[in-house]
Amino acid sequence: MIIDPRNKYSIGIIPIQHQKEPGLDAKLTPPADHGEASYKGAGKLAGRKALITGGDSGIGRAVAIAYAREGADVAISFLPSEQTDADDVFTAIEQTGQLAVALPGDLADEKFARKLVHDAHDALGGLDIIVNNAGKQIFNDDITTLPTEQLVETFTVNLFAMVWIVQEAVKHYLKPGATIINTTSIVATQPSPGLIDYAATKGAITTLTKGLSQQLAPKGITVNGVAPGPIWTPLQPSYGQSPEKLTKFGEDTPLGRPGQPAELAGAYVYLASADASYVSGEIIGVTGGRLR
């Protein structure tokens, strides 16, 4: 069946809303689509073991559901305050018959971030897919008022934790055939004036992904990234966008609407699967038609 991509999802009117950071999918209005009712697996990841950071909501939730339906056992990390969202994902994974592992904690804590890899490996009985997806995004359109605390926290969660996780995984567990997938963003190359610190981390992630791919390819480990455009997730109403911009979120894309988390799942599945065995160092844009 042919579907006009402009109309695949009708999000309707986005009301002015605000959530305390980091936000919950359960409180998002209108609700986001994570593929719960639509994603059909084909066994592309049968027998695989995946760790997904930020797997409780948004893009991470959609990836966790897709991976489980493709036959992978899945561990998700999330902040303790996001437990209600994580419970929903946990249930969705278990309904597929795959192993679900919940690992709450704060990636800003280096000790937790490093231990997370070992806990995921032990609980899953192996580890061969790392999806570095968790992110911190706080809107601020005045560089003179950007707090040092926010700057440090954004870089720590988005970038430093990614490095800590990769270090532990590569040193101890990842073998030939394993893959690392990092979530970057369109703002890595088209930075929003209100997301200077966030955009800087995404630019660094893009460079890290490309450089790491060159280092790890000789070991048989692929490293790629996905660059989302405006995707409807709890990140947006929890200080990720200004309230004024939120009501028009995604309307300025060529496709004229924001994307849904479910629309990214296929990219993450592809990069983790054998279909992408000759792909490393690439960034797949899922941007609603915006050029990167």
Side-chain angles (χ1 to χ4, degrees):
M1 181 173 65
I2 297 177
I3 299 175
D4 185 336
R6 298 170 299 174
N7 305 322
K8 183 176 181 180
Y9 289 96
S10 178
I11 196 169
I13 298 173
I14 300 176
I16 293 177
Q17 59 194 286
H18 178 68
Q19 294 191 43
K20 181 180 179 182
E21 192 211 355
L24 293 171
D25 257 311
K27 296 181 178 180
L28 196 60
T29 304
D33 188 331
H34 307 92
E36 293 94 337
S38 60
Y39 192 91
K40 303 290 191 294
K44 288 182 176 291
L45 302 178
R48 304 292 297 276
K49 313 286 186 179
L51 168 62
I52 303 170
T53 65
D56 60 293
S57 64
I59 296 169
R61 178 191 286 222
V63 175
I65 291 171
Y67 276 16
R69 292 184 182 178
E70 293 290 355
D73 293 331
V74 180
I76 62 171
S77 77
F78 53 93
L79 289 168
S81 63
E82 300 169 311
Q83 185 69 53
T84 55
D85 276 354
D87 289 343
D88 291 340
V89 181
F90 199 88
T91 298
I93 295 171
E94 287 194 320
Q95 287 175 344
T96 69
Q98 297 302 131
L99 177 61
V101 176
L103 298 170
D106 189 350
L107 290 175
D109 178 351
E110 181 178 355
K111 185 176 294 186
F112 168 76
R114 291 187 181 277
K115 185 174 182 292
L116 171 65
V117 178
H118 302 280
D119 289 346
H121 172 272
D122 294 347
L124 292 172
L127 191 61
D128 49 62
I129 302 172
I130 302 290
V131 178
N132 288 306
N133 169 74
K136 182 182 180 68
Q137 174 184 322
I138 302 294
F139 180 86
N140 184 313
D141 59 1
D142 184 352
I143 188 65
T144 67
T145 64
L146 180 63
T148 298
E149 181 181 7
Q150 176 182 320
L151 186 64
V152 171
E153 287 182 355
T154 302
F155 269 84
T156 301
V157 172
N158 295 5
L159 182 63
F160 299 164
M162 185 178 293
V163 174
W164 297 330
I165 288 169
V166 168
Q167 285 178 327
E168 296 301 314
V170 171
K171 183 177 181 180
H172 297 285
Y173 303 123
L174 299 191
K175 299 175 181 178
T179 189
I180 298 169
I181 305 169
N182 299 326
T183 300
T184 178
S185 170
I186 191 171
V187 301
T189 52
Q190 296 186 28
S192 166
L195 298 173
I196 294 298
D197 54 336
Y198 177 79
T201 66
K202 294 302 181 175
I205 290 169
T206 298
T207 301
L208 174 69
T209 300
K210 291 178 177 291
L212 195 58
S213 73
Q214 302 304 293
Q215 187 178 116
L216 295 184
K219 299 178 183 291
I221 300 169
T222 59
V223 185
N224 294 287
V226 178
I231 308 299
W232 185 235
T233 74
L235 203 64
Q236 309 309 331
S238 57
Y239 294 99
Q241 298 287 336
S242 68
E244 300 79 18
K245 289 186 175 182
L246 192 66
T247 58
K248 301 291 185 181
F249 185 66
E251 290 184 3
D252 59 349
T253 64
L255 289 180
R257 64 172 177 85
Q260 291 289 336
E263 295 181 279
L264 287 102
Y268 287 86
V269 168
Y270 166 68
L271 290 174
S273 74
D275 292 341
S277 58
Y278 201 55
V279 179
S280 197
E282 291 300 318
I283 306 294
I284 296 179
V286 186
T287 64
R290 285 182 179 170
L291 300 178
R292 296 174 43 249

Short mmCIF file of all heavy atoms in Angstrom, two decimals, residues 83-141:
data_model
loop_
_atom_site.label_atom_id
_atom_site.label_comp_id
_atom_site.label_asym_id
_atom_site.label_seq_id
_atom_site.Cartn_x
_atom_site.Cartn_y
_atom_site.Cartn_z
N GLN A 83 10.66 5.56 35.57
CA GLN A 83 10.30 4.17 35.78
C GLN A 83 8.96 3.79 35.17
O GLN A 83 8.80 2.70 34.62
CB GLN A 83 10.27 3.87 37.29
CG GLN A 83 10.02 2.42 37.63
CD GLN A 83 11.17 1.51 37.24
OE1 GLN A 83 12.32 1.75 37.61
NE2 GLN A 83 10.88 0.45 36.48
N THR A 84 7.96 4.70 35.23
CA THR A 84 6.64 4.35 34.68
C THR A 84 6.72 4.10 33.17
O THR A 84 6.08 3.17 32.66
CB THR A 84 5.62 5.46 34.98
OG1 THR A 84 6.11 6.71 34.49
CG2 THR A 84 5.36 5.57 36.47
N ASP A 85 7.48 4.93 32.47
CA ASP A 85 7.67 4.70 31.03
C ASP A 85 8.43 3.40 30.80
O ASP A 85 8.10 2.61 29.90
CB ASP A 85 8.45 5.85 30.40
CG ASP A 85 7.55 7.03 30.01
OD1 ASP A 85 6.31 6.91 30.13
OD2 ASP A 85 8.09 8.07 29.59
N ALA A 86 9.46 3.16 31.60
CA ALA A 86 10.27 1.96 31.45
C ALA A 86 9.43 0.70 31.66
O ALA A 86 9.63 -0.31 30.97
CB ALA A 86 11.44 1.98 32.42
N ASP A 87 8.49 0.74 32.59
CA ASP A 87 7.62 -0.41 32.85
C ASP A 87 6.83 -0.78 31.60
O ASP A 87 6.64 -1.96 31.29
CB ASP A 87 6.67 -0.11 34.00
CG ASP A 87 7.36 -0.05 35.35
OD1 ASP A 87 8.50 -0.55 35.45
OD2 ASP A 87 6.77 0.50 36.30
N ASP A 88 6.35 0.24 30.86
CA ASP A 88 5.59 -0.02 29.64
C ASP A 88 6.47 -0.70 28.58
O ASP A 88 6.03 -1.62 27.88
CB ASP A 88 5.03 1.28 29.08
CG ASP A 88 3.94 1.87 29.95
OD1 ASP A 88 3.34 1.12 30.75
OD2 ASP A 88 3.68 3.08 29.85
N VAL A 89 7.70 -0.23 28.45
CA VAL A 89 8.62 -0.82 27.48
C VAL A 89 8.97 -2.25 27.88
O VAL A 89 9.03 -3.16 27.05
CB VAL A 89 9.91 0.02 27.35
CG1 VAL A 89 10.84 -0.60 26.33
CG2 VAL A 89 9.58 1.44 26.95
N PHE A 90 9.19 -2.44 29.17
CA PHE A 90 9.51 -3.76 29.70
C PHE A 90 8.41 -4.75 29.33
O PHE A 90 8.68 -5.87 28.86
CB PHE A 90 9.66 -3.67 31.22
CG PHE A 90 10.42 -4.80 31.84
CD1 PHE A 90 11.79 -4.76 31.97
CD2 PHE A 90 9.75 -5.93 32.30
CE1 PHE A 90 12.50 -5.81 32.55
CE2 PHE A 90 10.44 -6.98 32.89
CZ PHE A 90 11.81 -6.92 33.02
N THR A 91 7.17 -4.33 29.51
CA THR A 91 6.04 -5.18 29.17
C THR A 91 5.99 -5.49 27.68
O THR A 91 5.76 -6.64 27.26
CB THR A 91 4.72 -4.51 29.60
OG1 THR A 91 4.72 -4.33 31.01
CG2 THR A 91 3.52 -5.36 29.21
N ALA A 92 6.24 -4.46 26.85
CA ALA A 92 6.20 -4.63 25.40
C ALA A 92 7.27 -5.63 24.94
O ALA A 92 7.04 -6.44 24.03
CB ALA A 92 6.39 -3.30 24.69
N ILE A 93 8.45 -5.58 25.55
CA ILE A 93 9.51 -6.51 25.19
C ILE A 93 9.14 -7.92 25.62
O ILE A 93 9.27 -8.88 24.85
CB ILE A 93 10.85 -6.09 25.84
CG1 ILE A 93 11.32 -4.75 25.28
CG2 ILE A 93 11.92 -7.16 25.60
CD1 ILE A 93 12.52 -4.17 26.02
N GLU A 94 8.66 -8.07 26.83
CA GLU A 94 8.31 -9.40 27.33
C GLU A 94 7.20 -10.05 26.51
O GLU A 94 7.17 -11.27 26.35
CB GLU A 94 7.90 -9.31 28.80
CG GLU A 94 9.07 -9.07 29.75
CD GLU A 94 8.70 -9.32 31.20
OE1 GLU A 94 7.57 -8.94 31.57
OE2 GLU A 94 9.52 -9.89 31.93
N GLN A 95 6.30 -9.23 25.98
CA GLN A 95 5.20 -9.77 25.17
C GLN A 95 5.70 -10.43 23.89
O GLN A 95 4.99 -11.24 23.29
CB GLN A 95 4.20 -8.66 24.85
CG GLN A 95 3.35 -8.25 26.04
CD GLN A 95 2.44 -7.06 25.75
OE1 GLN A 95 2.64 -6.34 24.75
NE2 GLN A 95 1.45 -6.83 26.60
N THR A 96 6.90 -10.09 23.46
CA THR A 96 7.47 -10.72 22.27
C THR A 96 8.10 -12.07 22.60
O THR A 96 8.47 -12.81 21.68
CB THR A 96 8.56 -9.83 21.64
OG1 THR A 96 9.71 -9.78 22.51
CG2 THR A 96 8.05 -8.42 21.39
N GLY A 97 8.26 -12.34 23.88
CA GLY A 97 8.93 -13.56 24.29
C GLY A 97 10.42 -13.41 24.48
O GLY A 97 11.13 -14.36 24.82
N GLN A 98 10.92 -12.19 24.28
CA GLN A 98 12.35 -11.91 24.44
C GLN A 98 12.66 -11.47 25.88
O GLN A 98 11.78 -10.99 26.59
CB GLN A 98 12.80 -10.83 23.46
CG GLN A 98 12.66 -11.20 22.01
CD GLN A 98 13.43 -12.44 21.62
OE1 GLN A 98 12.89 -13.35 20.98
NE2 GLN A 98 14.70 -12.51 22.00
N LEU A 99 13.91 -11.61 26.26
CA LEU A 99 14.35 -11.20 27.58
C LEU A 99 14.40 -9.69 27.67
O LEU A 99 14.95 -9.01 26.78
CB LEU A 99 15.74 -11.79 27.87
CG LEU A 99 16.39 -11.41 29.20
CD1 LEU A 99 15.55 -11.89 30.37
CD2 LEU A 99 17.80 -12.00 29.28
N ALA A 100 13.83 -9.13 28.74
CA ALA A 100 13.85 -7.69 28.98
C ALA A 100 14.60 -7.43 30.28
O ALA A 100 14.37 -8.09 31.29
CB ALA A 100 12.43 -7.14 29.08
N VAL A 101 15.51 -6.45 30.24
CA VAL A 101 16.31 -6.10 31.41
C VAL A 101 16.21 -4.59 31.63
O VAL A 101 16.47 -3.81 30.70
CB VAL A 101 17.79 -6.50 31.24
CG1 VAL A 101 18.61 -6.03 32.42
CG2 VAL A 101 17.91 -8.00 31.05
N ALA A 102 15.82 -4.19 32.83
CA ALA A 102 15.70 -2.77 33.17
C ALA A 102 16.85 -2.37 34.07
O ALA A 102 17.08 -3.00 35.12
CB ALA A 102 14.36 -2.51 33.86
N LEU A 103 17.58 -1.30 33.69
CA LEU A 103 18.76 -0.87 34.43
C LEU A 103 18.68 0.63 34.72
O LEU A 103 19.22 1.45 33.98
CB LEU A 103 20.02 -1.20 33.63
CG LEU A 103 20.25 -2.69 33.35
CD1 LEU A 103 21.38 -2.88 32.35
CD2 LEU A 103 20.56 -3.44 34.64
N PRO A 104 17.98 1.01 35.80
CA PRO A 104 17.84 2.43 36.12
C PRO A 104 19.12 3.04 36.69
O PRO A 104 19.88 2.36 37.39
CB PRO A 104 16.72 2.44 37.16
CG PRO A 104 16.80 1.09 37.81
CD PRO A 104 17.24 0.15 36.73
N GLY A 105 19.34 4.31 36.38
CA GLY A 105 20.50 5.02 36.90
C GLY A 105 20.77 6.26 36.08
O GLY A 105 20.11 6.50 35.06
N ASP A 106 21.75 7.04 36.50
CA ASP A 106 22.07 8.33 35.87
C ASP A 106 23.38 8.22 35.11
O ASP A 106 24.44 7.98 35.70
CB ASP A 106 22.16 9.42 36.95
CG ASP A 106 22.28 10.81 36.36
OD1 ASP A 106 22.47 10.94 35.14
OD2 ASP A 106 22.16 11.78 37.15
N LEU A 107 23.32 8.42 33.80
CA LEU A 107 24.53 8.32 32.97
C LEU A 107 25.53 9.43 33.26
O LEU A 107 26.69 9.34 32.82
CB LEU A 107 24.14 8.34 31.49
CG LEU A 107 23.42 7.10 30.96
CD1 LEU A 107 22.99 7.32 29.52
CD2 LEU A 107 24.28 5.86 31.08
N ALA A 108 25.11 10.47 33.97
CA ALA A 108 26.05 11.52 34.35
C ALA A 108 27.03 11.02 35.41
O ALA A 108 28.06 11.65 35.67
CB ALA A 108 25.30 12.74 34.88
N ASP A 109 26.73 9.89 36.01
CA ASP A 109 27.59 9.25 37.00
C ASP A 109 28.50 8.25 36.28
O ASP A 109 28.03 7.22 35.79
CB ASP A 109 26.72 8.54 38.04
CG ASP A 109 27.53 7.81 39.10
OD1 ASP A 109 28.77 7.68 38.96
OD2 ASP A 109 26.92 7.32 40.07
N GLU A 110 29.77 8.56 36.18
CA GLU A 110 30.69 7.71 35.43
C GLU A 110 30.70 6.28 35.95
O GLU A 110 30.75 5.32 35.16
CB GLU A 110 32.11 8.28 35.47
CG GLU A 110 33.12 7.44 34.69
CD GLU A 110 34.52 8.02 34.68
OE1 GLU A 110 34.70 9.15 35.19
OE2 GLU A 110 35.43 7.35 34.13
N LYS A 111 30.63 6.13 37.26
CA LYS A 111 30.65 4.78 37.83
C LYS A 111 29.45 3.97 37.34
O LYS A 111 29.59 2.80 36.96
CB LYS A 111 30.65 4.86 39.36
CG LYS A 111 30.78 3.51 40.05
CD LYS A 111 30.86 3.66 41.55
CE LYS A 111 32.13 4.37 41.96
NZ LYS A 111 32.28 4.40 43.45
N PHE A 112 28.27 4.61 37.32
CA PHE A 112 27.08 3.91 36.83
C PHE A 112 27.20 3.60 35.34
O PHE A 112 26.87 2.49 34.90
CB PHE A 112 25.82 4.73 37.07
CG PHE A 112 24.61 4.18 36.33
CD1 PHE A 112 23.96 3.06 36.79
CD2 PHE A 112 24.18 4.76 35.14
CE1 PHE A 112 22.88 2.51 36.09
CE2 PHE A 112 23.11 4.24 34.44
CZ PHE A 112 22.45 3.11 34.92
N ALA A 113 27.66 4.57 34.56
CA ALA A 113 27.74 4.39 33.11
C ALA A 113 28.65 3.22 32.75
O ALA A 113 28.35 2.43 31.86
CB ALA A 113 28.23 5.67 32.44
N ARG A 114 29.75 3.11 33.44
CA ARG A 114 30.68 2.01 33.16
C ARG A 114 30.12 0.67 33.65
O ARG A 114 30.22 -0.35 32.95
CB ARG A 114 32.04 2.29 33.80
CG ARG A 114 32.80 3.45 33.15
CD ARG A 114 34.20 3.59 33.70
NE ARG A 114 34.91 4.70 33.11
CZ ARG A 114 35.55 4.67 31.94
NH1 ARG A 114 35.56 3.55 31.23
NH2 ARG A 114 36.18 5.73 31.48
N LYS A 115 29.53 0.68 34.82
CA LYS A 115 28.97 -0.55 35.39
C LYS A 115 27.78 -1.04 34.57
O LYS A 115 27.50 -2.24 34.50
CB LYS A 115 28.55 -0.30 36.84
CG LYS A 115 28.05 -1.53 37.59
CD LYS A 115 27.81 -1.19 39.05
CE LYS A 115 27.36 -2.43 39.83
NZ LYS A 115 26.01 -2.88 39.43
N LEU A 116 27.07 -0.10 33.94
CA LEU A 116 25.90 -0.43 33.14
C LEU A 116 26.23 -1.48 32.09
O LEU A 116 25.45 -2.42 31.85
CB LEU A 116 25.39 0.85 32.45
CG LEU A 116 24.29 0.70 31.40
CD1 LEU A 116 23.01 0.18 32.04
CD2 LEU A 116 24.05 2.04 30.71
N VAL A 117 27.36 -1.35 31.45
CA VAL A 117 27.76 -2.28 30.40
C VAL A 117 27.91 -3.70 30.96
O VAL A 117 27.43 -4.68 30.37
CB VAL A 117 29.08 -1.83 29.74
CG1 VAL A 117 29.53 -2.83 28.68
CG2 VAL A 117 28.90 -0.45 29.13
N HIS A 118 28.54 -3.82 32.10
CA HIS A 118 28.76 -5.13 32.72
C HIS A 118 27.44 -5.72 33.21
O HIS A 118 27.21 -6.93 33.06
CB HIS A 118 29.76 -4.99 33.85
CG HIS A 118 31.08 -4.42 33.43
ND1 HIS A 118 32.06 -5.18 32.81
CD2 HIS A 118 31.56 -3.16 33.50
CE1 HIS A 118 33.10 -4.41 32.53
NE2 HIS A 118 32.82 -3.17 32.94
N ASP A 119 26.59 -4.87 33.78
CA ASP A 119 25.29 -5.37 34.24
C ASP A 119 24.43 -5.86 33.08
O ASP A 119 23.75 -6.89 33.19
CB ASP A 119 24.55 -4.25 35.00
CG ASP A 119 25.18 -3.94 36.35
OD1 ASP A 119 26.02 -4.75 36.81
OD2 ASP A 119 24.85 -2.89 36.93
N ALA A 120 24.46 -5.12 31.97
CA ALA A 120 23.69 -5.52 30.80
C ALA A 120 24.22 -6.85 30.26
O ALA A 120 23.44 -7.76 29.93
CB ALA A 120 23.76 -4.45 29.72
N HIS A 121 25.53 -6.97 30.16
CA HIS A 121 26.14 -8.20 29.66
C HIS A 121 25.76 -9.40 30.52
O HIS A 121 25.36 -10.46 30.03
CB HIS A 121 27.66 -8.06 29.61
CG HIS A 121 28.38 -9.33 29.28
ND1 HIS A 121 28.76 -10.24 30.25
CD2 HIS A 121 28.78 -9.88 28.10
CE1 HIS A 121 29.36 -11.26 29.69
NE2 HIS A 121 29.39 -11.07 28.39
N ASP A 122 25.86 -9.22 31.83
CA ASP A 122 25.60 -10.34 32.73
C ASP A 122 24.12 -10.73 32.71
O ASP A 122 23.79 -11.92 32.72
CB ASP A 122 26.01 -9.96 34.17
CG ASP A 122 27.52 -9.78 34.30
OD1 ASP A 122 28.26 -10.18 33.38
OD2 ASP A 122 27.95 -9.23 35.32
N ALA A 123 23.23 -9.74 32.66
CA ALA A 123 21.80 -10.02 32.68
C ALA A 123 21.32 -10.63 31.37
O ALA A 123 20.42 -11.48 31.35
CB ALA A 123 21.02 -8.75 32.99
N LEU A 124 21.92 -10.19 30.26
CA LEU A 124 21.51 -10.68 28.94
C LEU A 124 22.21 -11.98 28.55
O LEU A 124 21.77 -12.68 27.64
CB LEU A 124 21.80 -9.63 27.87
CG LEU A 124 20.98 -8.34 27.92
CD1 LEU A 124 21.54 -7.32 26.92
CD2 LEU A 124 19.50 -8.61 27.63
N GLY A 125 23.32 -12.26 29.22
CA GLY A 125 24.11 -13.43 28.82
C GLY A 125 24.94 -13.16 27.59
O GLY A 125 25.27 -14.08 26.83
N GLY A 126 25.29 -11.91 27.38
CA GLY A 126 26.09 -11.51 26.22
C GLY A 126 25.76 -10.08 25.86
O GLY A 126 24.83 -9.48 26.40
N LEU A 127 26.53 -9.53 24.94
CA LEU A 127 26.30 -8.15 24.50
C LEU A 127 26.98 -7.94 23.15
O LEU A 127 28.19 -8.11 23.02
CB LEU A 127 26.86 -7.16 25.52
CG LEU A 127 26.49 -5.68 25.35
CD1 LEU A 127 24.99 -5.48 25.45
CD2 LEU A 127 27.20 -4.83 26.40
N ASP A 128 26.18 -7.60 22.11
CA ASP A 128 26.77 -7.39 20.80
C ASP A 128 26.17 -6.20 20.04
O ASP A 128 26.56 -5.93 18.92
CB ASP A 128 26.68 -8.65 19.94
CG ASP A 128 25.29 -9.26 19.92
OD1 ASP A 128 24.36 -8.58 19.45
OD2 ASP A 128 25.13 -10.41 20.37
N ILE A 129 25.22 -5.50 20.66
CA ILE A 129 24.69 -4.26 20.08
C ILE A 129 24.66 -3.20 21.18
O ILE A 129 24.09 -3.43 22.24
CB ILE A 129 23.25 -4.43 19.53
CG1 ILE A 129 23.18 -5.52 18.46
CG2 ILE A 129 22.75 -3.11 18.96
CD1 ILE A 129 21.76 -5.85 18.03
N ILE A 130 25.28 -2.07 20.91
CA ILE A 130 25.21 -0.93 21.81
C ILE A 130 24.50 0.21 21.07
O ILE A 130 24.96 0.63 20.01
CB ILE A 130 26.61 -0.44 22.24
CG1 ILE A 130 27.41 -1.56 22.92
CG2 ILE A 130 26.49 0.79 23.14
CD1 ILE A 130 26.91 -1.95 24.28
N VAL A 131 23.41 0.69 21.62
CA VAL A 131 22.72 1.86 21.06
C VAL A 131 22.84 3.00 22.08
O VAL A 131 22.18 2.99 23.12
CB VAL A 131 21.24 1.57 20.75
CG1 VAL A 131 20.56 2.83 20.22
CG2 VAL A 131 21.12 0.44 19.75
N ASN A 132 23.72 3.95 21.77
CA ASN A 132 23.90 5.12 22.62
C ASN A 132 22.89 6.18 22.22
O ASN A 132 23.10 6.93 21.26
CB ASN A 132 25.33 5.66 22.48
CG ASN A 132 26.35 4.77 23.13
OD1 ASN A 132 26.24 4.45 24.30
ND2 ASN A 132 27.35 4.36 22.38
N ASN A 133 21.78 6.23 22.93
CA ASN A 133 20.66 7.06 22.52
C ASN A 133 20.27 8.13 23.53
O ASN A 133 19.70 9.16 23.16
CB ASN A 133 19.45 6.15 22.25
CG ASN A 133 18.17 6.92 22.08
OD1 ASN A 133 17.95 7.56 21.05
ND2 ASN A 133 17.32 6.89 23.10
N ALA A 134 20.57 7.92 24.81
CA ALA A 134 20.13 8.87 25.84
C ALA A 134 20.70 10.26 25.57
O ALA A 134 21.83 10.41 25.10
CB ALA A 134 20.59 8.38 27.22
N GLY A 135 19.89 11.28 25.86
CA GLY A 135 20.35 12.64 25.60
C GLY A 135 19.71 13.66 26.52
O GLY A 135 18.61 13.45 27.04
N LYS A 136 20.41 14.76 26.70
CA LYS A 136 19.91 15.90 27.48
C LYS A 136 19.83 17.10 26.56
O LYS A 136 20.81 17.41 25.87
CB LYS A 136 20.83 16.19 28.66
CG LYS A 136 20.38 17.34 29.57
CD LYS A 136 21.39 17.56 30.68
CE LYS A 136 20.97 18.70 31.61
NZ LYS A 136 19.77 18.38 32.40
N GLN A 137 18.69 17.77 26.55
CA GLN A 137 18.47 18.92 25.66
C GLN A 137 17.66 19.97 26.40
O GLN A 137 16.52 19.74 26.78
CB GLN A 137 17.71 18.48 24.40
CG GLN A 137 17.30 19.62 23.48
CD GLN A 137 16.48 19.13 22.30
OE1 GLN A 137 16.74 18.07 21.74
NE2 GLN A 137 15.46 19.89 21.92
N ILE A 138 18.27 21.13 26.63
CA ILE A 138 17.60 22.24 27.31
C ILE A 138 17.69 23.49 26.45
O ILE A 138 18.79 23.93 26.08
CB ILE A 138 18.22 22.52 28.70
CG1 ILE A 138 18.18 21.26 29.57
CG2 ILE A 138 17.50 23.67 29.38
CD1 ILE A 138 16.80 20.82 29.95
N PHE A 139 16.55 24.07 26.13
CA PHE A 139 16.52 25.27 25.28
C PHE A 139 17.06 26.49 26.01
O PHE A 139 16.72 26.75 27.17
CB PHE A 139 15.07 25.53 24.85
CG PHE A 139 14.90 26.73 23.97
CD1 PHE A 139 15.06 26.63 22.60
CD2 PHE A 139 14.58 27.97 24.50
CE1 PHE A 139 14.90 27.73 21.77
CE2 PHE A 139 14.42 29.08 23.68
CZ PHE A 139 14.59 28.96 22.32
N ASN A 140 17.94 27.23 25.32
CA ASN A 140 18.44 28.50 25.83
C ASN A 140 18.98 29.29 24.64
O ASN A 140 19.95 28.88 24.01
CB ASN A 140 19.56 28.28 26.87
CG ASN A 140 20.02 29.58 27.50
OD1 ASN A 140 20.27 30.56 26.81
ND2 ASN A 140 20.15 29.60 28.82
N ASP A 141 18.32 30.40 24.31
CA ASP A 141 18.71 31.14 23.10
C ASP A 141 19.59 32.35 23.40
O ASP A 141 19.73 33.24 22.57
CB ASP A 141 17.47 31.57 22.30
CG ASP A 141 16.53 32.45 23.10
OD1 ASP A 141 16.84 32.75 24.28
OD2 ASP A 141 15.48 32.83 22.56
#
